[in-house]
Amino acid sequence: MSRRLVLGGGAALAATATLTLGLTTAAPASARTTAPAGTDASASARTAAQAPAGTAGKLFRAWLAGDRAAAARVATPAAVNTIFSYAFRAPDRFDGCSGNVCRYVHTSVRVPGGLNGIAMTVTGSKVTKVYLSRHVERPAAAATHLFAAWKRGDRYAGLEVGAEAAVRTLFRVRYDPRGVTHHFQGCSKEPKGYACAWSYDGGAMIMHVRGSKATGYDVRSVTYLAD
C-alpha cells in the first residue's frame, strides 16, 4: 500500500512558489555571459595613465617646435616659461609617468643632477609645473637650491641640482621648521670639488659639490658631522 503526501492549499502554494523561484533564479549556463574580470577597471587605469602622458607630450612637442602658442594651450604661463629656458639639448626618451608626473630623460649625454632631463606635473588638462636639469655656474647656487627644495619637501626640485644619492640622503629626514636652525657657512675647496656647509646646534651638514662653470655644478653627496 502506497501513501501519497497531499499538501493543503497554503502549503501547496508555498511549495510551488519555492520551486518557481529556484528555477527562475538559476539561469541556464548557456544563457549566462561573464565579462572578463577587471575589464572596466583596466580600461579606466589605462585612460588615467594616458591622460597625463598625452598632455605632457603635447607640451614637449610644442617646445621642440618652438611653438609657444601651442604650449600655452596645454600649460600654465610659468610652466611654458620654464621649459623654454632649458639649457641643454632635448631629452631623447619618454620615461613614463609616475602618478601625474611625467618625465623625459637623456640617454646620450650627461647633465647635472639626478633628474636627467625634464619632469612635468600635470593637473587636469594642463601642465602646471616643469622641473629641469639645471646648468648652475656656482657651487653655492647648487647647494642652496637643494637646501631650499628640502625645506619645501620637493624631491623633484632637489633632483634638478642633486644626484639621486644626495637627494635620498637629505630627504631621509623631513625638514622641521620648529627644529634646529641651519646656518649657511658658504663653500670651500676640497679634493675634486667644493664642500658647502650648514652648521646647527650639535653638528653640521656638508654638501659635496662637483662640476665646473662650463659643465654646471651639482651636489653629489651629503654628509653630517657631530660636535
Side-chain angles (χ1 to χ4, degrees), residues 3-221:
R3 293 191 303 171
R4 289 181 298 176
L5 180 62
V6 180
L7 299 176
L13 287 173
T16 303
T18 301
L19 180 60
T20 303
L21 181 62
L23 290 174
T24 55
T25 301
S30 60
R32 294 196 298 268
T33 58
T34 303
T39 298
D40 291 342
S42 298
S44 298
R46 284 196 300 272
T47 301
Q50 290 167 356
T55 302
K58 289 177 182 177
L59 176 58
F60 188 77
R61 289 189 294 273
W63 169 61
L64 289 179
D67 190 342
R68 281 183 172 265
R73 289 193 287 271
V74 293
T76 62
V80 172
N81 289 337
T82 300
I83 195 169
F84 273 83
S85 71
Y86 194 54
F88 306 101
R89 72 171 68 172
D92 53 302
R93 189 184 79 194
F94 176 58
D95 205 38
C97 302
S98 176
N100 67 331
V101 179
C102 303
R103 294 179 66 174
Y104 291 83
V105 299
H106 293 280
T107 63
S108 58
V109 297
R110 186 193 178 283
V111 295
L115 191 62
N116 192 31
I118 298 172
M120 306 180 194
T121 300
V122 181
T123 305
S125 61
K126 287 206 168 187
V127 175
T128 53
K129 179 75 175 177
V130 173
Y131 298 95
L132 307 172
S133 294
R134 295 185 177 271
H135 185 272
V136 179
E137 296 185 348
R138 294 184 300 110
T144 54
H145 184 106
L146 178 54
F147 185 82
W150 176 53
K151 289 180 68 175
R152 298 194 307 271
D154 192 339
R155 282 179 175 266
Y156 285 106
L159 289 169
E160 290 183 320
V161 296
E164 289 185 2
V167 172
R168 186 166 53 249
T169 299
L170 183 60
F171 279 74
R172 193 172 294 153
V173 177
R174 181 178 297 181
Y175 176 79
D176 183 0
R178 296 182 298 275
V180 296
T181 301
H182 291 70
H183 303 279
F184 184 50
Q185 302 296 332
C187 302
S188 58
K189 289 281 291 183
E190 68 174 1
K192 299 183 180 180
Y194 293 84
C196 301
W198 278 262
S199 62
Y200 50 83
D201 287 343
M205 176 176 69
I206 314 296
M207 293 188 185
H208 302 277
V209 181
R210 301 292 183 264
S212 68
K213 185 175 181 179
T215 61
Y217 290 99
D218 62 354
V219 179
R220 302 290 176 83
S221 63

